[in-house]
Amino acid sequence: MNSKQQVPFLDLVTPHQELEAELTAVFQRALKTAGFIGGPMVEGFEAEFAQFCGTAHCVGVGSGTDALRFALMAAGVEKDDIVITVPNTFIATTEAITQAGAHAEFVDVDERTSNMDPEKLAEYLETKCVFDGVAGQWVHRETGRRMKAIVPVHLYGQMADMDPIMDQAEKYNLVVVEDACQAHGAQYFSRRHQQWFSAGSIGRAAAFSFYPGKNLGACGEAGAVTTNDAEVARKIRVIRDHGQAQKYYHDMEGYNGRLDSIQAGLLSVKLKHLAEWNAKRREAADGYNQLFADCGAEVITPYEPEWSRAVYHLYVVRCADREGLRESLGKEGIGTGIHYPIPLHLQKAYASMGYREGDFPVTESLAKQIVSLPMSTTLTAAQQELVVNAVQRAMSAPLCEPVGD
Ligand SMILES: *Cc1c(COP(=O)(O)O)cnc(C)c1O
């Protein structure tokens, strides 16, 4: 329809062009030693990323999905356990839970932040669990399955409200694994501890994705787990490498889930720029907020509580006629996305879970209203003005255009 993209949804080309010499040097270094798996580039990146997140350990793995699955397994999730998460996330969150052998159960999100609603979590735990005195653990009232873990998702680059989530986890003896796949460098102010924490440093472990479009992206597939727990880190190193701590001595079956040396080297180059790139995204978000406030367009802009410093992996607005808005923007060459159009509980893949429309009303209504606007580290103020002006025009246009123009 429109070949000329005035404002692309995201710009992955420019940042790599700017770093081309440094990035290709990584490849050349790898060719010289043929060290493609493990080795100093992986260890180097792991140490740097742990430091960035403020954790004692980081273990590089093959993807964010691997990171989630391995983190759950290493944190003690076993077959038939229940792991609680939200229905408005990418399917990898629940794939990892299922593939770790557990059952995903959902709680709805907070309408303003799109993240796990701690009150809904408390209500779920209060109504669905009982303490099994014989086994000494909390179990699901109806199925008798062990309640084991909570996976809060830091969606769009903003952390979930972790204090009350950690309170519930303590009360019910659950482990928390953060899905930080969209939140590299996001910060949370803990009222309990009176200090700021980085995404990935609060739960027992956290999963990061370095899929190319993420705030820190590899030039291919990659992921990592961060943790302060040495035993969890050790287990993940074994799980990612076919269950061996020593070559050909397999204590268990594991996975082929290692981080490539080349990807680790490329990530080290890019990690040096992450703080500056995140600052640019925050600046762009401020720019959008200001422009929308000034023009009075009827869109709801992202909500950032005082305890949050978000890194805007995505800049998501809400409006009544989402499809109309997307179409108008598309005609003007402005790229948009929807994250995500179908809540997980209504996906075909989960039909057997027996959920229905209406089960998670906040997630469902958000899914109908959300539009992700262009966001990248190279987005200019002029491009943002184009976007906001186009949104304003689209919103004030009649819903149905006259036919036969
Ligand atoms: C990207 C993403 C994942 C999965 O990461 P991959 O590296 O693609 O496996 C998991 N959860 C969320 C919220 C994500 O955005």
Side-chain angles (χ1 to χ4, degrees), residues 145 265 275 296 366 381:
R145 289 176 182 142
L366 288 174

Side-chain angles (χ1 to χ4, degrees), residues 62-66 68 89-90 92-93 153 155 179 181-182 208-211 214 221-223 313 340:
S63 68
T65 311
D66 273 357
L68 273 166
T89 174
F90 182 54
T93 314
V153 181
L155 205 67
D179 183 340
C181 288
Q182 299 190 1
F208 287 89
S209 165
F210 306 121
Y211 184 78
K214 303 289 163 89
E221 303 278 1
H313 171 57
Y340 298 89

Side-chain angles (χ1 to χ4, degrees), residues 127 152 166 168 190 273 293:
T127 54
M166 296 305 289
Q168 292 300 315
S190 165
H273 301 271

